[in-house]
Amino acid sequence: MQYIVSPENKLKRDELYEYLDKNNYNFVDDKEYYIDSNFPFVIEENKRVWICNSITCCACAAQTGQIINTEEYFKKTKKLS
């Protein structure tokens, strides 16, 4: 399972990052990159997290309804933020 999560703003990006970090997810880049980016987080089942910075991939994911916000992510994974 893989989630493509696009937090609504920098505060939500930081909240999601902190939640994932607290739960031992593995990040490909440093925290600032995740917070400052406008691209969505990709959260994989194996606890790997990266940023999808391909405009083409993001457009395809958006067109097929695969990008969710942080609230939807927490609901789908039955976690409370």
Side-chain angles (χ1 to χ4, degrees), residues 5-77:
V5 184
S6 184
E8 302 83 80
N9 54 48
K10 282 193 177 195
L11 182 61
K12 290 287 188 181
R13 293 184 79 83
D14 188 59
E15 178 184 326
L16 179 59
Y17 183 95
E18 290 299 325
Y19 169 79
L20 296 171
D21 189 43
K22 182 179 177 181
N23 287 283
N24 301 314
Y25 281 74
N26 300 308
F27 297 91
V28 175
D29 289 294
D30 60 15
K31 180 179 180 178
E32 291 76 26
Y33 180 72
Y34 288 87
I35 305 307
D36 293 338
S37 178
N38 290 319
F39 290 102
F41 287 52
V42 178
I43 305 167
E44 298 181 348
E45 190 173 20
N46 65 359
K47 291 195 165 192
R48 183 173 179 254
V49 183
W50 49 282
I51 295 290
C52 181
N53 58 8
S54 164
I55 294 170
T56 304
C57 289
C58 288
C60 291
Q63 287 179 343
T64 57
Q66 295 179 16
I67 299 177
I68 60 175
N69 64 30
T70 50
E71 185 178 324
E72 291 172 293
Y73 171 73
F74 287 124
K75 283 181 183 176
K76 286 180 180 271
T77 58

